[in-house]
Amino acid sequence: DQRLAAAWRTTPVRGPPPGIASALGNDGRTTIYQVSIVDGRDGFTVGIATQDASVFNGGIAGANAIGSGSASATGDMAVTSIYQTTVVVQRGSGTASVAQGSHVDNIGSADATSAGIADARAVGNASSTTVHQTVVVLILGSGDAQVSQMADVTNAGVATAVATDRFTSASGTTATTDVSQLAVLVVHDDDVTVTQTSTTVNVGVGN
């Protein structure tokens, strides 16, 4: 029947709505404050304050929706905040040497594929890192103060999710790291040395 053939050609075939694919690949925000305040006496050497901050955020995300299911991949989604503050007040003849570090690495990579009616979700890190380092030194005598604070954060990732008729989810770390180091020194005639170190490593593979 020609009428049936014409209707077949002109009428769209109804079925499930197409799936949605979304991928991110970083979405990074970085905030760094480094403040040094030194109040010394005339004719005296107070010291050296060294503050260092290094941030690396990766990414890479892939999402494919072939069928009616949805695919979602992240690949890092990093938020990094670093505050480093040094206050040295000299009322004696001693000196102060302050060094603060802080290195952050966030690496992602996520791949999600929905090849059927089910949804696929992969993360691949989704990290948030906050580092606080504060040093307050009051020199009242002839003693010397040496303060060193170090924080090193590494978060990896990698997640792969493939779904056909069932929901599939893979993570590969959903990392959150918060490091706070505080040193308050009152120095008289004896030398004072403070060293604080914090290292966080999160590695995850989700498949």
Side-chain angles (χ1 to χ4, degrees), residues 39-42 44-46 89-95 138-143 187-189:
D39 182 9
R41 297 177 59 194
D42 294 337
F44 290 92
T45 301
V46 177
V89 177
Q90 185 191 41
R91 291 296 176 263
S93 60
T95 61
L138 175 60
I139 302 173
L140 299 176
S142 60
V187 182
H188 293 279
D189 294 331

mmCIF file of all heavy atoms in Angstrom, residues 39-42 44-46 89-95 138-143 187-189:
data_model
loop_
_atom_site.group_PDB
_atom_site.id
_atom_site.type_symbol
_atom_site.label_atom_id
_atom_site.label_comp_id
_atom_site.label_asym_id
_atom_site.label_seq_id
_atom_site.Cartn_x
_atom_site.Cartn_y
_atom_site.Cartn_z
ATOM 1 N N ASP A 39 58.800 43.255 62.587
ATOM 2 C CA ASP A 39 59.008 44.457 63.404
ATOM 3 C C ASP A 39 60.310 44.255 64.169
ATOM 4 O O ASP A 39 60.379 43.463 65.102
ATOM 5 C CB ASP A 39 57.830 44.651 64.359
ATOM 6 C CG ASP A 39 57.971 45.920 65.198
ATOM 7 O OD1 ASP A 39 58.885 46.725 64.904
ATOM 8 O OD2 ASP A 39 57.177 46.100 66.131
ATOM 9 N N GLY A 40 61.360 44.960 63.746
ATOM 10 C CA GLY A 40 62.674 44.756 64.333
ATOM 11 C C GLY A 40 63.217 45.987 65.022
ATOM 12 O O GLY A 40 62.613 47.061 64.999
ATOM 13 N N ARG A 41 64.387 45.807 65.641
ATOM 14 C CA ARG A 41 65.060 46.894 66.337
ATOM 15 C C ARG A 41 66.102 47.529 65.432
ATOM 16 O O ARG A 41 66.615 46.905 64.506
ATOM 17 C CB ARG A 41 65.742 46.383 67.603
ATOM 18 C CG ARG A 41 64.790 45.818 68.647
ATOM 19 C CD ARG A 41 65.574 45.287 69.823
ATOM 20 N NE ARG A 41 66.390 46.321 70.442
ATOM 21 C CZ ARG A 41 67.364 46.072 71.316
ATOM 22 N NH1 ARG A 41 67.636 44.819 71.666
ATOM 23 N NH2 ARG A 41 68.052 47.059 71.835
ATOM 24 N N ASP A 42 66.453 48.776 65.723
ATOM 25 C CA ASP A 42 67.474 49.471 64.948
ATOM 26 C C ASP A 42 68.841 48.849 65.203
ATOM 27 O O ASP A 42 69.220 48.579 66.350
ATOM 28 C CB ASP A 42 67.507 50.962 65.321
ATOM 29 C CG ASP A 42 66.235 51.690 64.918
ATOM 30 O OD1 ASP A 42 65.542 51.193 64.003
ATOM 31 O OD2 ASP A 42 65.929 52.732 65.528
ATOM 32 N N PHE A 44 69.910 45.864 64.313
ATOM 33 C CA PHE A 44 69.906 44.415 64.459
ATOM 34 C C PHE A 44 69.283 43.767 63.215
ATOM 35 O O PHE A 44 68.370 44.311 62.593
ATOM 36 C CB PHE A 44 69.116 43.985 65.699
ATOM 37 C CG PHE A 44 69.788 44.328 67.000
ATOM 38 C CD1 PHE A 44 69.513 45.528 67.641
ATOM 39 C CD2 PHE A 44 70.700 43.466 67.577
ATOM 40 C CE1 PHE A 44 70.130 45.860 68.838
ATOM 41 C CE2 PHE A 44 71.319 43.782 68.767
ATOM 42 C CZ PHE A 44 71.032 44.981 69.400
ATOM 43 N N THR A 45 69.819 42.605 62.892
ATOM 44 C CA THR A 45 69.271 41.830 61.787
ATOM 45 C C THR A 45 68.150 40.934 62.318
ATOM 46 O O THR A 45 68.366 40.141 63.231
ATOM 47 C CB THR A 45 70.349 40.957 61.129
ATOM 48 O OG1 THR A 45 71.406 41.808 60.646
ATOM 49 C CG2 THR A 45 69.782 40.168 59.974
ATOM 50 N N VAL A 46 66.993 41.078 61.751
ATOM 51 C CA VAL A 46 65.842 40.330 62.255
ATOM 52 C C VAL A 46 65.845 38.906 61.728
ATOM 53 O O VAL A 46 65.797 37.945 62.483
ATOM 54 C CB VAL A 46 64.526 41.045 61.875
ATOM 55 C CG1 VAL A 46 63.338 40.227 62.336
ATOM 56 C CG2 VAL A 46 64.498 42.426 62.485
ATOM 57 N N VAL A 89 58.402 39.629 65.571
ATOM 58 C CA VAL A 89 58.581 40.836 66.386
ATOM 59 C C VAL A 89 59.865 40.674 67.190
ATOM 60 O O VAL A 89 60.011 39.722 67.963
ATOM 61 C CB VAL A 89 57.385 41.069 67.337
ATOM 62 C CG1 VAL A 89 57.633 42.291 68.210
ATOM 63 C CG2 VAL A 89 56.095 41.216 66.540
ATOM 64 N N GLN A 90 60.794 41.586 66.994
ATOM 65 C CA GLN A 90 62.108 41.511 67.654
ATOM 66 C C GLN A 90 62.222 42.594 68.709
ATOM 67 O O GLN A 90 62.153 43.789 68.415
ATOM 68 C CB GLN A 90 63.226 41.653 66.624
ATOM 69 C CG GLN A 90 64.615 41.470 67.207
ATOM 70 C CD GLN A 90 65.688 41.888 66.208
ATOM 71 O OE1 GLN A 90 65.543 42.887 65.533
ATOM 72 N NE2 GLN A 90 66.758 41.109 66.141
ATOM 73 N N ARG A 91 62.441 42.159 69.952
ATOM 74 C CA ARG A 91 62.682 43.090 71.051
ATOM 75 C C ARG A 91 64.014 42.787 71.734
ATOM 76 O O ARG A 91 64.401 43.493 72.667
ATOM 77 C CB ARG A 91 61.537 43.000 72.076
ATOM 78 C CG ARG A 91 60.216 43.540 71.552
ATOM 79 C CD ARG A 91 60.314 45.022 71.248
ATOM 80 N NE ARG A 91 59.084 45.547 70.658
ATOM 81 C CZ ARG A 91 58.889 45.700 69.350
ATOM 82 N NH1 ARG A 91 59.845 45.348 68.503
ATOM 83 N NH2 ARG A 91 57.760 46.200 68.900
ATOM 84 N N GLY A 92 64.696 41.737 71.297
ATOM 85 C CA GLY A 92 66.012 41.401 71.806
ATOM 86 C C GLY A 92 67.035 41.487 70.693
ATOM 87 O O GLY A 92 66.834 42.152 69.680
ATOM 88 N N SER A 93 68.141 40.742 70.871
ATOM 89 C CA SER A 93 69.209 40.755 69.868
ATOM 90 C C SER A 93 69.217 39.496 69.002
ATOM 91 O O SER A 93 70.058 39.348 68.130
ATOM 92 C CB SER A 93 70.565 40.899 70.565
ATOM 93 O OG SER A 93 70.793 39.818 71.463
ATOM 94 N N GLY A 94 68.309 38.572 69.247
ATOM 95 C CA GLY A 94 68.254 37.336 68.475
ATOM 96 C C GLY A 94 67.671 37.548 67.086
ATOM 97 O O GLY A 94 67.188 38.628 66.736
ATOM 98 N N THR A 95 67.727 36.492 66.282
ATOM 99 C CA THR A 95 67.225 36.543 64.911
ATOM 100 C C THR A 95 66.191 35.446 64.697
ATOM 101 O O THR A 95 66.087 34.512 65.491
ATOM 102 C CB THR A 95 68.364 36.373 63.895
ATOM 103 O OG1 THR A 95 68.986 35.096 64.083
ATOM 104 C CG2 THR A 95 69.403 37.468 64.047
ATOM 105 N N LEU A 138 58.184 35.899 68.660
ATOM 106 C CA LEU A 138 58.499 37.052 69.505
ATOM 107 C C LEU A 138 59.880 36.827 70.117
ATOM 108 O O LEU A 138 60.084 35.887 70.880
ATOM 109 C CB LEU A 138 57.448 37.217 70.595
ATOM 110 C CG LEU A 138 57.709 38.321 71.633
ATOM 111 C CD1 LEU A 138 57.808 39.684 70.967
ATOM 112 C CD2 LEU A 138 56.637 38.307 72.717
ATOM 113 N N ILE A 139 60.821 37.674 69.752
ATOM 114 C CA ILE A 139 62.201 37.559 70.232
ATOM 115 C C ILE A 139 62.424 38.569 71.350
ATOM 116 O O ILE A 139 62.375 39.782 71.130
ATOM 117 C CB ILE A 139 63.201 37.788 69.089
ATOM 118 C CG1 ILE A 139 62.952 36.781 67.954
ATOM 119 C CG2 ILE A 139 64.627 37.672 69.587
ATOM 120 C CD1 ILE A 139 63.770 37.033 66.712
ATOM 121 N N LEU A 140 62.688 38.034 72.535
ATOM 122 C CA LEU A 140 62.905 38.895 73.702
ATOM 123 C C LEU A 140 64.345 38.914 74.180
ATOM 124 O O LEU A 140 64.725 39.819 74.938
ATOM 125 C CB LEU A 140 61.994 38.449 74.856
ATOM 126 C CG LEU A 140 60.493 38.514 74.595
ATOM 127 C CD1 LEU A 140 59.721 37.948 75.780
ATOM 128 C CD2 LEU A 140 60.051 39.940 74.295
ATOM 129 N N GLY A 141 65.147 37.934 73.779
ATOM 130 C CA GLY A 141 66.537 37.849 74.231
ATOM 131 C C GLY A 141 67.494 37.681 73.076
ATOM 132 O O GLY A 141 67.268 38.176 71.970
ATOM 133 N N SER A 142 68.574 36.900 73.343
ATOM 134 C CA SER A 142 69.615 36.705 72.334
ATOM 135 C C SER A 142 69.463 35.396 71.568
ATOM 136 O O SER A 142 70.307 35.062 70.731
ATOM 137 C CB SER A 142 70.986 36.738 73.013
ATOM 138 O OG SER A 142 71.099 35.705 73.981
ATOM 139 N N GLY A 143 68.442 34.647 71.856
ATOM 140 C CA GLY A 143 68.235 33.367 71.183
ATOM 141 C C GLY A 143 67.749 33.534 69.756
ATOM 142 O O GLY A 143 67.131 34.541 69.394
ATOM 143 N N VAL A 187 60.920 33.606 72.237
ATOM 144 C CA VAL A 187 62.336 33.257 72.334
ATOM 145 C C VAL A 187 63.036 34.215 73.293
ATOM 146 O O VAL A 187 62.954 35.440 73.130
ATOM 147 C CB VAL A 187 63.006 33.304 70.944
ATOM 148 C CG1 VAL A 187 64.475 32.891 71.050
ATOM 149 C CG2 VAL A 187 62.262 32.416 69.959
ATOM 150 N N HIS A 188 63.727 33.626 74.272
ATOM 151 C CA HIS A 188 64.521 34.423 75.201
ATOM 152 C C HIS A 188 66.000 34.313 74.821
ATOM 153 O O HIS A 188 66.394 34.859 73.803
ATOM 154 C CB HIS A 188 64.251 33.973 76.639
ATOM 155 C CG HIS A 188 62.843 34.278 77.082
ATOM 156 N ND1 HIS A 188 62.447 35.515 77.532
ATOM 157 C CD2 HIS A 188 61.737 33.488 77.132
ATOM 158 C CE1 HIS A 188 61.163 35.497 77.834
ATOM 159 N NE2 HIS A 188 60.700 34.279 77.612
ATOM 160 N N ASP A 189 66.808 33.643 75.622
ATOM 161 C CA ASP A 189 68.237 33.531 75.327
ATOM 162 C C ASP A 189 68.623 32.177 74.725
ATOM 163 O O ASP A 189 69.770 31.979 74.327
ATOM 164 C CB ASP A 189 69.057 33.770 76.602
ATOM 165 C CG ASP A 189 68.933 35.200 77.108
ATOM 166 O OD1 ASP A 189 68.722 36.098 76.264
ATOM 167 O OD2 ASP A 189 69.032 35.416 78.322
#
